[in-house]
Each structure stands twice: as C-alpha cells, then as structure tokens.
Amino acid sequence: MLPLLLLAGFRTLIDDLHAELARQGHPELRPLHGFVLQAVGTDGTTASELGNRLGVSKQAAGKTVDRLVALGYLERADDPRDARRKLVRLTPYGLDGLRRSAVVFDELRQRWTEALGADRVAAIEDDLRRVTPANWFRLDIPGWFTG
Amino acid sequence: MLPLLLLAGFRTLIDDLHAELARQGHPELRPLHGFVLQAVGTDGTTASELGNRLGVSKQAAGKTVDRLVALGYLERADDPRDARRKLVRLTPYGLDGLRRSAVVFDELRQRWTEALGADRVAAIEDDLRRVTPANWFRLDIPGWFTG
DNA sequence: GTAGTTTGGTCAACGTGGTTGACCAAACCG
DNA sequence: CGGTTTGGTCAACCACGTTGACCAAACTAC
C-alpha cells in the first residue's frame, strides 16, 4: 500500500504546484518542465548531458529542449570552443519559472509540514533516503527544491 | 525535498516490480497496465467506467483496453441487458498478471519493511493518508496492493 | 598530418498515453 | 412518441519516449 500512497502524494502535490504556477503567469509549464529547467540549471548544459541527467536519450532531451525553446523558457547558443556543442541556457523567463516553482514548492512543502509536524516530515525524508537511491534525481542541484 | 523522494521511491519500486514481472513471463506488462488490470477487477467493467476510475477520458480508457486486449490481458463481451455497453473482463492470462503483480508487490513492500521496520512503514503510511486524498486511487479495490 | 574513432546534434519512423470534437445507436424519460 | 442522456468509436492532434541512421566536428594514434 505504501507505494500507491507515495504516488498519490506526489501527484496531488504536483497538481497543486502547477495550478498555482498557472495563476502566476506560467500556464504552459507542465510537470516535466520543472525538472528539465532544474536540470539545465543556471550554468546551462547541452542536450546530451541533459539526457544523461534526466535518464533519457539525447534525442528525447533534444525534443524537450525544442519545446521549451518554443515556449520561451530556454535558448540555444553555439559553444565557441566546440563547434559540435549547442549550449542550452535558461532565458530570463525560464529563470522566472524556475524560481516561482521553487517558491511554490516550498509553500506546498510547508503545508505538509504543518499537517504532519516538522519532526514527522524530517523522519519520513530520512527513512525514504535510506531506501531510495540518493541520486536518482539530481537532488544536489542547487536552487531548486532546497526547502 | 520530500516530494522528490516520494517520486524516487515510487519509480524505483515500480521499476523493480516490472523487472521481476518480466522474469515471470510478463515482459510486456508496462507500469500503467497493472493499475488498469486492478481497476478492471475480477468483476469486469466498461470503458467509460474505467475512465472514471482512472481519471482519464473514456476514449483514452478505450484505447488502453484495445492494447491490453491485443496483448491478451483483457477481453470484451456484449452486455445482454444493455446493447450499448461492452463489458471488459480479465482473461485468465490477465488474472495471472494481476496476481503476480500483487505477489511481487508484496515482496517489494516486505523489503521496505525490513529496511525500515514495520512500525516505521505503518507510521509513514498513516502520515501520508492524512495529507493525500484517500481515494485518489481506488485503494479499496480488493485483490491488489492489499499487503 | 592524415586515418580512424568517438562525440554532439539532428532527422525519420514509430509506440504509448493522453486530449477534444463529432457522431451514432441504444436507453431513458417526459 | 419525441427529446435527452449515455456508451462506444473515429479522427485529428499533442507530449514524451524509443531505435536507427547519418553528418560534421573533435579527439587519438601512428
């Protein structure tokens, strides 16, 4: 039963997150996009590296970048030191979306903390860390989900 | 941070589940299919009702049923009492997949319990139940995830 | 320095899971 | 009986993923 509850918890929270983001001027930001913006990060990256970070093929990563470029969240630029590489960077709009995601995410986490108590939340996080691969997602990328 | 850990936990567990199911003769069973078989249940249902249970449109439910029929997990039959309805039922093969899913799922849950201790798992489940809609997924459908 | 290999990006074809809109026939209801 | 609701399907489309093929730039080795 636990895993179904995990999924339910995650889904409802992500739904809440994007409903609030839509209200704040980012109606087109889909659940996946937040993770992609996080993985691109303030330093930028390339499509292949993005695929590695997200665990998908470079082609899939490239197509997702295409969509986010079309939406104005990302931009591509040539790498002066390697003509093969195309750097992918956050636009100011993309940075705004990323920051708002982080803020709303923290607010929602705060709600959980109020409902359960800070000690309970910390205990659950600690437990989960023990049974899940710590770096399945790049939890260490700064600036996101760092509540 | 908690929600990302929820997702990581769910993903890794579902991946483990389907790796084991592939070993047991169900290599084509995708993560979604288990939920669909569960929602169909031993009593059978219709495409529209299935859509309601899973929270998707009747068309999407119908297409998923098509695929599971093609794979041999489900079958369609006419409803003698309502010529509009097409009953969707588990085939023996589908029932086998459903049962194996339940067994493997329980084994994986057992691993979590061993790692955390039964009291910790019970406490987490209790906590999550408090902050997630209890019936987001039909947790009350008997015969699945009833560890 | 030229030849062979690795790497980054893209294109094409395809599969899966989802949407909305249109439509038909059967059932229900006044 | 006539109008509305319901169940199923078809069509078009979108998001996200896959593999395979391919090209050009970069690296490596002789």
Side-chain angles (χ1 to χ4, degrees):
Chain A
M1 184 82 82
L2 208 179
L4 271 193
L5 287 170
L6 296 187
L7 178 62
F10 185 74
R11 271 289 298 261
T12 55
L13 191 129
I14 293 296
D15 286 350
D16 286 354
L17 169 63
H18 286 88
E20 180 57 29
L21 282 177
R23 262 175 248 123
Q24 295 191 14
H26 292 279
E28 295 149 316
L29 212 48
R30 318 246 296 95
L32 175 74
H33 297 162
F35 295 103
V36 176
L37 296 183
Q38 171 203 21
V40 170
T42 50
D43 294 341
T45 181
T46 65
S48 287
E49 172 58 22
L50 189 57
N52 287 337
R53 290 183 186 174
L54 297 174
V56 299
S57 66
K58 61 180 182 177
Q59 295 94 324
K63 281 202 280 189
T64 300
V65 169
D66 286 344
R67 278 177 223 118
L68 286 171
V69 167
L71 290 174
Y73 286 93
L74 296 178
E75 62 185 5
R76 276 190 237 254
D78 291 333
D79 185 335
R81 292 189 298 233
D82 186 338
R84 294 171 306 176
R85 290 158 57 90
K86 305 259 177 86
L87 279 328
V88 174
R89 285 191 311 238
L90 291 170
T91 63
Y93 182 56
L95 196 54
D96 180 69
L98 184 56
R99 285 189 177 135
R100 287 181 188 275
S101 292
V103 169
V104 175
F105 201 90
D106 281 355
E107 288 169 0
L108 292 173
R109 186 175 182 281
Q110 190 58 35
R111 270 202 244 155
W112 282 49
T113 303
E114 284 163 11
L116 296 181
D119 52 338
R120 308 289 291 136
V121 169
I124 293 177
E125 287 183 348
D126 200 49
D127 288 342
L128 288 172
R129 227 184 304 272
R130 222 177 308 158
V131 288
T132 63
N135 53 0
W136 186 83
F137 253 102
R138 294 285 305 269
L139 301 178
D140 57 325
I141 295 176
W144 229 57
F145 297 156
T146 51
Chain B
M1 183 83 82
L2 208 180
L4 271 192
L5 286 170
L6 294 188
L7 178 62
F10 184 75
R11 270 288 299 259
T12 54
L13 191 128
I14 293 296
D15 286 351
D16 287 353
L17 169 63
H18 286 88
E20 180 57 30
L21 281 177
R23 262 175 249 124
Q24 295 192 14
H26 291 278
E28 295 149 318
L29 211 49
R30 317 250 291 97
L32 174 74
H33 297 162
F35 294 103
V36 176
L37 296 183
Q38 170 203 22
V40 170
T42 51
D43 294 341
T45 182
T46 64
S48 287
E49 172 58 23
L50 189 57
N52 286 337
R53 289 183 186 174
L54 297 175
V56 300
S57 65
K58 61 180 181 176
Q59 295 95 324
K63 281 202 282 188
T64 300
V65 169
D66 287 344
R67 281 179 215 115
L68 286 172
V69 167
L71 290 174
Y73 286 93
L74 297 178
E75 62 185 5
R76 276 190 239 255
D78 290 334
D79 185 335
R81 293 189 299 234
D82 186 338
R84 293 171 307 178
R85 290 158 56 91
K86 305 259 177 85
L87 278 329
V88 175
R89 284 192 311 240
L90 292 169
T91 63
Y93 182 57
L95 196 54
D96 181 69
L98 184 56
R99 286 191 177 134
R100 287 181 188 275
S101 291
V103 169
V104 175
F105 201 90
D106 282 355
E107 287 170 2
L108 293 173
R109 186 176 183 282
Q110 189 58 34
R111 269 202 246 155
W112 282 50
T113 304
E114 282 162 14
L116 296 181
D119 53 337
R120 308 289 289 137
V121 169
I124 293 177
E125 288 183 348
D126 199 51
D127 288 342
L128 289 173
R129 227 184 304 272
R130 223 178 306 160
V131 289
T132 63
N135 52 1
W136 185 83
F137 254 101
R138 295 285 305 270
L139 302 178
D140 57 326
I141 295 176
W144 230 58
F145 298 157
T146 52

